[in-house]
Amino acid sequence: MKRIVMAAAMALLATSAFSQATKPVMIKSGKVYEKCLSLVPPQKIEYRFESAAKLNFNLHYHKGDQVYYPVKLDRTNGESGLYEAKAKETYCLMWENKSGADVELTYSAKITK
């Protein structure tokens, strides 16, 4: 029975889209936390986060020396969204703590087709 369950779980992992759920992350005062994922169209990033205090958040990617920000929010305690890749790029979710204290962040990110 264990083999059947394990085989089914492995098959599901092999065929499902990449998914990531994280434990809480502590962002030090004045610092950033960043999580980057590689996408190709028509893949999407589905993200959700909550924080104990307001953080600046953005979803960005680099092209040469340029940085593009499809999503940019200042001073938010949480957000959820879905972003569809326009090109094959490494897209980064980034949180910036401009408060005077460390802030706990909980987030999840999932790549979908």
Side-chain angles (χ1 to χ4, degrees), residues 20 22-28 30-36 55-58 60 92-97 103 105 107:
Q20 180 176 357
T22 66
K23 295 179 180 177
V25 174
M26 192 61 70
I27 305 175
K28 300 278 187 195
K31 300 295 183 181
V32 301
Y33 177 77
E34 186 173 55
K35 181 64 183 177
C36 299
L55 298 170
N56 292 343
F57 168 75
N58 70 67
H60 69 274
C92 298
L93 302 165
M94 188 172 88
W95 294 267
E96 180 182 24
N97 179 4
V103 175
L105 166 72
Y107 78 96

Side-chain angles (χ1 to χ4, degrees), residues 27-84:
I27 305 175
K28 300 278 187 195
S29 176
K31 300 295 183 181
V32 301
Y33 177 77
E34 186 173 55
K35 181 64 183 177
C36 299
L37 305 165
S38 296
L39 282 86
V40 295
Q43 289 180 314
K44 300 174 180 84
I45 299 176
E46 184 178 349
Y47 60 89
R48 177 178 312 270
F49 69 91
E50 294 178 346
S51 61
K54 295 190 183 297
L55 298 170
N56 292 343
F57 168 75
N58 70 67
L59 170 66
H60 69 274
Y61 63 94
H62 300 260
K63 259 200 190 292
D65 293 339
Q66 296 280 10
V67 181
Y68 296 91
Y69 297 90
V71 180
K72 192 170 185 179
L73 301 167
D74 288 335
R75 299 188 40 77
T76 182
N77 285 87
E79 188 68 35
S80 63
L82 183 67
Y83 177 76
E84 183 174 345

